[in-house]
Each structure stands twice: as structure tokens, then as C-alpha cells.
Amino acid sequence: ADGGGTSNSNGVVPTQEGLIKALKVWKRMYDNSGGISTGHPRYQESKQDDTNSSTTKEQQQLFGEGVSPKITLSEYEYSALLRCATALKDVKVAERVLSDIAESVMVPGLSTMEVMLDWFRSDRCNVASTATADNNSETSTATSALDHVTLPPREGEGLSVGPITNDTGRGWNIYRNCTIDSSTGSLQLSNPEEGQTTTESPINQIEYRLKPVELTQKAWKAMREMNSSIVLEGTVEGNISVFQGGGKGKKRPRGSDVVSKLHGGNAKQGSTAHNNKNSAGRKKKDPNWRINHWKGFETFIENHPSYNIVIDGANVGYYNQTYRLGSNAPRHVDYKQIDGLIRHLLELPSNERHHIILFMHERHFSQRLLPQWAYPIIKMWDGNEAPYDRLTVYRTPQGLNDDWYWMHAALINGGREDKPSVLAITNDEMRDHHFQMTAQGYFLRWKERHQVHFDFGEWNRELKRNDVLLEYPSIYSRRIQRVDGESKGCVVAGADAIVIPLPKKGDENRFVDGVHVADDGIPQEETYVVVQRVIS
């Protein structure tokens, strides 16, 4: 289906028949993917009873060895379809593909961006497209390829970039390398591309401001289900993944003698199911210990008083430890470093005060690992004296990944108007778990809006600890979105625009595989392309 202009790189002229075939392949791949594959230990069982889908459907939510995800298109394939749709003037296909790119590709590559701009540059976009108009001309395309194919359902609950044709017939202006005021989200337009029409209103009177794009209810639900499925259904007989079910792979043997003497079973402790029992013993005696513990945790979180921050304690505690100790692995986390972050948050002004849940694996409280100087810190964490009365410490059990606990606590209130939004403080990009997720696109967008990165500054003599540096999410979403044009605080009718973020240094953290590296010449700062509807 690939094509640009009148032909593709191989000199093949795109045809509607070819585009229809390509769309049918897309649909066929989607329909025949997902579920148990031949490598799954229950494959034969599922094959013999395809009609009994209750077990299979539960397992389809998990993405790991032996379980196939639904196949979706890559950025390259979307780009090829869009080139073909541009050549064939097919508005319906172009709008669907552009909307899918906006939903699944947070920062498109430069080649993909050029393909997107070709649609808006094309003279065919300056008037209502014949792909949707009633036109009996032999040279026009009277129907869209989508009239012949039913594509897979959209991930974004019908969200769309909106109309991509200008009914006024005046086309679109393209402004490249636009900068942004990160404190407001306001874009500063550059000069338009040569030969383009300018609006009758002066450019400097029209302002475009990026907005925060939150997850939909469907996305929050998918994330929560994904997280629970990984924990509850992640380990199956014959599965070879060391990460399944939230496991982190092999660890050196450690005792789990929790420091219960310090708190005497204080009710502030989050984990009550394993404070005085050996985790390994529980596994041997109770085959359902994983399910029972997780269900208990879900109940605990549901009944917990309102909170708005969760902390990945181990990530904070191990931060810079290897650097400080050279090649020697740290024996324990830096409890003072964790405490410094907690106190920074708890001692903020009253209008910014938080209730925090700190998640740490139970081994970090083992008497074998806990240094003597850390005992008073743990005692304060478990106490009820200010400011620690707004802190809950949850100890996660041996054999389960603590990431899934704090992640669940961060997700549970998503989309609920009666609960505060929850931020997660961690520098962990969680790439080693992405392969398990059927909701990868959702996960990246959640990270953009809810993950707080941290660092530590110089020693503060007054506070007697290092300064804490927190990088909160931006007030806007750095992603493809449609925005209204404003002048003096009022929306200018018809002056909407589509904004496309350009790659910048550091974008490797915004991709699932984590292997993206910015090319030479890519700027450090954020820049955007603004595609502005020309108004009469």
C-alpha cells in the first residue's frame, strides 16, 4: 500500500485496491492474534475447547512467553498507509491513521512527521476531498477504502485528531520548530513555510496552548486489569520467564526476619499478612498464598485513607549507591536518603501537604540487613508523631515484585472524581516489565502524567540532609493533539491547529523498548510543528 505523490520508491503507483488489501491484512492480523500460542503449556487444552473461553480470556490479558498480544501496527506501517491515503485522496483512511498515530506514537520520528505534513501540504487537502464527496467524475475516488473494510476497534475510545480537511478551501499553514513556554504550555509560532497563505488575523494575535491529555476510563481499567493479571496469572507451569508474576529473577538467599520488635505490630504497617511469618514457608503450605495476599492488599488499598503519593522505596534507597561504592554492590538501601525524600514531602507548606505510602520489600527490614543506625528511622516511619502521621509503610512479601504493589496503588484511583490523583515517585522506567503488558501505549501515557523523577542536591546544613530535587509532570502533554486558537483569552472560531512534537535529546525514556537514541543535531529543548487551519 506504500506510496507517496504518484508512486512509491519502487515506482509502483498506489491504487485503492492495494490500499484495501493492506487494510484487510491489518484486520486479519488483529483478528488472528492474541491468546494462547503454541508455546503455552495450556495450548492443547485451549485448542480442544475453543468454545469455553472463560479461562482463555483471562490469560489473553497477560503478555508473556506463550501468550500472544493483539498485533497492532508499527509507526513505519502507519506511515506507509498514510502515504498511500495521501496519494489516493482518501480522507477517511488518513484521518483514522493520523488518529491512531496520535494515540499510539507519543513522539513520531522525523520521517513519519514529514509524511503527516505531506497530507496537509497537498493541494488535495485545500478543498473538500473527493474521497467523501458525491462526485461522479471518472478520475475521482468516489468512495474510501474504509467503505470496504472494517478495521480493528480504536484503542482510544473513539478519540480522533478531528477533521483533517479545511472546508474553507484555504488549506493549512505549517510552522516548524516552534518553541514552548513550559510554565504555561503556550507555543511561540515560527514563520510559516514558504508559499503558504497567512490568516487575516495577525499571527501574533492567535495563541496555541498545549493541554494535559489524561487517560480515559477504558485506559485506567485496562491498566488495573493488566497489573492484577500479571500478579495473579503470571506464573503458570512451564512458563520460562523470570519476570512473570512480578518476579525480578534470581536473588541471593536472604532471611525475612522482619523487625517487628520496633513497632510491635503497629497498625500503621501496611503489610500484615507476612510480618511474623516466613514467606517461603507460606508458599509451601498455601499454594494460593499469592492470590490471598494480593486480594488482601487490594482490600487494604481500597480502605486506606486518602493519599496522593506513592514512593518506590528501593529505587530511592539504591539511587547513586553503586556510584558511591564503586564496583561493590550495596548491602542495603540508604535509609537516610529515603527518609530525606519523605521529610521533604511531609514538611511542605500546608496547601501542598501529602499523604504518602512508601513501598519496600520486606527484606529491607530484615535484622540481617538492617544497620543499627537505621533502627530509629524505621521506628519514626512506623510511629504516629508528626510529620510521619501522614506516612504509611507497606512491606511487600518475598517472591513478589514490589513494583506491582506501588503501581496498583498509583492506578486504583485513576479516573475517579471522588479520589485525588496519585503521583508515583521513581526513576525506574520499568522497561523490564513492558513485555508483559497488553496496555503498553496506556502505560507510557500514564508515566508522562503521573511519574515524578527525583535527584538529590547539595548538603543542606539547616535541614541536615541533602536537598531533594523533584521533576514533576508538565502541565501539558507532549504528544500529538488538536488545540483551539485563542486571542485575548477567547477562542477564535475555526482557527484550530494540530500540534506535533519533534524529537529531542532524552526521548529514549519515552519509548517502550528504551533503545531510541536521538540523532546528531536533535535539540535538547522541546520543539513542535504547528499545522494551523487557515481561516477566511
Side-chain angles (χ1 to χ4, degrees):
D2 193 3
T6 57
S7 64
N8 62 20
S9 58
N10 295 322
V12 179
V13 177
T15 64
Q16 187 182 69
E17 181 183 6
L19 180 57
I20 292 172
K21 287 181 178 179
L23 296 177
K24 286 182 176 179
V25 170
W26 175 9
K27 180 64 161 59
R28 196 158 55 243
M29 287 192 305
Y30 180 88
D31 289 343
N32 290 284
S33 61
I36 294 176
S37 69
T38 54
H40 196 281
R42 297 181 185 171
Y43 171 71
Q44 291 298 333
E45 175 186 336
S46 64
K47 185 177 180 181
Q48 294 172 1
D49 190 9
D50 289 334
T51 59
N52 184 7
S53 59
S54 59
T55 301
T56 304
K57 285 183 178 179
E58 289 180 4
Q59 293 166 348
Q60 285 177 356
Q61 297 176 25
L62 182 66
F63 180 8
E65 283 86 354
V67 182
S68 303
K70 282 290 186 181
I71 293 178
T72 56
L73 299 189
S74 68
E75 181 177 344
Y76 179 85
E77 291 158 333
Y78 280 130
S79 182
L81 288 173
L82 184 56
R83 281 197 295 268
C84 190
T86 299
L88 296 173
K89 319 173 192 180
D90 196 322
V91 175
K92 287 184 179 180
V93 172
E95 184 172 319
R96 167 61 192 261
V97 172
L98 279 169
S99 295
D100 279 15
I101 292 175
E103 188 67 24
S104 59
V105 182
M106 300 192 71
V107 180
L110 293 178
S111 59
T112 302
M113 183 204 64
E114 289 299 332
V115 173
M116 297 170 70
L117 296 184
D118 281 343
W119 171 268
F120 295 101
R121 290 190 188 108
S122 172
D123 288 338
R124 304 180 185 94
C125 292
N126 293 342
V127 294
S129 170
T130 55
T132 56
D134 293 330
N135 192 328
N136 294 323
S137 170
E138 293 182 1
T139 60
S140 67
T141 305
T143 61
S144 166
L146 280 187
D147 296 332
H148 305 274
V149 183
T150 301
L151 290 181
R154 290 205 58 239
E155 182 178 317
E157 294 185 344
L159 296 177
S160 170
V161 295
I164 57 174
T165 58
N166 190 347
D167 293 337
T168 68
R170 295 174 63 88
W172 305 78
N173 283 336
I174 297 174
Y175 303 89
R176 306 178 71 101
N177 298 316
C178 300
T179 57
I180 190 168
D181 183 344
S182 60
S183 64
T184 64
S186 179
L187 291 155
Q188 286 77 52
L189 298 185
S190 59
N191 293 322
E193 287 187 347
E194 270 188 50
Q196 294 188 336
T197 306
T198 59
T199 61
E200 292 182 3
S201 302
I203 291 299
N204 58 11
Q205 291 185 4
I206 298 181
E207 180 184 25
Y208 295 101
R209 192 185 306 270
L210 288 183
K211 302 169 290 185
V213 181
E214 296 295 344
L215 292 171
T216 63
Q217 292 286 352
K218 177 182 177 182
W220 283 112
K221 184 174 183 291
M223 287 279 290
R224 288 190 289 265
E225 290 179 350
M226 171 273 300
N227 195 59
S228 294
S229 294
I230 291 172
V231 176
L232 297 179
E233 304 292 338
T235 300
V236 293
E237 184 179 355
N239 198 297
I240 63 173
S241 172
V242 296
F243 298 111
Q244 287 295 319
K248 288 189 176 180
K250 294 181 180 179
K251 295 186 178 75
R252 62 188 180 191
R254 289 190 177 103
S256 57
D257 182 10
V258 182
V259 191
S260 58
K261 296 179 182 179
L262 289 176
H263 38 63
N266 191 310
K268 267 195 66 179
Q269 293 181 130
S271 180
T272 58
H274 52 275
N275 282 334
N276 298 308
K277 296 182 180 180
N278 182 276
S279 297
R282 285 199 314 275
K283 295 179 189 178
K284 293 179 180 179
K285 295 178 181 179
D286 183 7
N288 296 318
W289 76 272
R290 174 194 296 268
I291 296 175
N292 294 336
H293 192 283
W294 183 256
K295 293 300 182 183
F297 168 67
E298 289 180 318
T299 301
F300 166 79
I301 287 295
E302 282 285 355
N303 296 331
H304 193 281
S306 182
Y307 62 93
N308 57 352
I309 286 182
V310 298
I311 299 176
D312 179 1
N315 186 256
V316 176
Y318 282 127
Y319 182 70
N320 274 345
Q321 291 299 293
T322 303
Y323 171 78
R324 294 174 188 169
L325 300 175
S327 59
N328 296 322
R331 176 172 172 78
H332 55 74
V333 297
D334 189 335
Y335 299 90
K336 292 180 180 178
Q337 189 163 271
I338 300 171
D339 188 61
L341 173 61
I342 292 171
R343 290 189 67 92
H344 172 82
L345 294 166
L346 294 178
E347 293 173 358
L348 288 172
S350 58
N351 60 334
E352 299 180 31
R353 285 190 175 178
H354 307 288
H355 192 111
I356 301 168
I357 304 182
L358 171 68
F359 288 87
M360 293 181 67
H361 196 280
E362 64 179 357
R363 71 175 179 273
H364 298 301
F365 302 92
S366 168
Q367 290 179 330
R368 293 181 58 190
L369 293 181
L370 193 68
Q372 287 295 321
W373 57 261
Y375 277 58
I377 296 176
I378 305 302
K379 188 174 182 179
M380 287 190 297
W381 289 356
D382 289 331
N384 288 312
E385 293 185 8
Y388 295 101
D389 55 336
R390 289 180 284 113
L391 170 69
T392 299
V393 181
Y394 192 94
R395 295 153 166 81
T396 61
Q398 183 177 342
L400 288 179
N401 188 339
D402 51 341
D403 287 350
W404 301 124
Y405 283 82
W406 63 254
M407 193 180 299
H408 179 80
L411 296 173
I412 192 64
N413 292 344
R416 294 176 58 174
E417 296 181 358
D418 60 329
K419 296 285 186 178
S421 178
V422 177
L423 296 174
I425 298 182
T426 180
N427 287 342
D428 187 357
E429 299 302 335
M430 295 159 279
R431 298 189 191 104
D432 55 344
H433 307 302
H434 283 178
F435 74 93
Q436 299 184 77
M437 300 180 183
T438 58
Q440 290 178 342
Y442 295 149
F443 185 70
L444 289 177
R445 291 191 290 280
W446 170 79
K447 284 173 57 178
E448 182 205 33
R449 302 304 311 150
H450 296 274
Q451 182 177 6
V452 178
H453 292 87
F454 65 88
D455 199 355
F456 294 94
E458 298 297 324
W459 179 259
N460 189 313
R461 292 184 179 180
E462 181 181 351
L463 298 176
K464 297 182 179 179
R465 62 176 185 259
N466 290 89
D467 288 326
V468 175
L469 310 174
L470 297 177
E471 181 183 344
Y472 287 92
S474 300
I475 64 170
Y476 57 86
S477 294
R478 183 171 166 250
R479 57 180 292 186
I480 300 170
Q481 55 178 282
R482 197 179 201 98
V483 295
D484 293 322
E486 299 180 6
S487 179
K488 298 179 180 180
C490 299
V491 175
V492 179
D496 53 325
I498 296 173
V499 181
I500 307 169
L502 293 170
K504 72 178 184 68
K505 299 283 186 186
D507 274 344
E508 55 269 21
N509 288 338
R510 297 171 60 85
F511 295 84
V512 171
D513 56 16
V515 299
H516 169 83
V517 177
D519 298 327
D520 291 341
I522 296 296
Q524 189 77 33
E525 65 277 1
E526 292 182 24
T527 54
Y528 295 82
V529 171
V530 177
V531 182
Q532 176 196 55
R533 183 193 300 273
V534 179
I535 57 176
S536 55

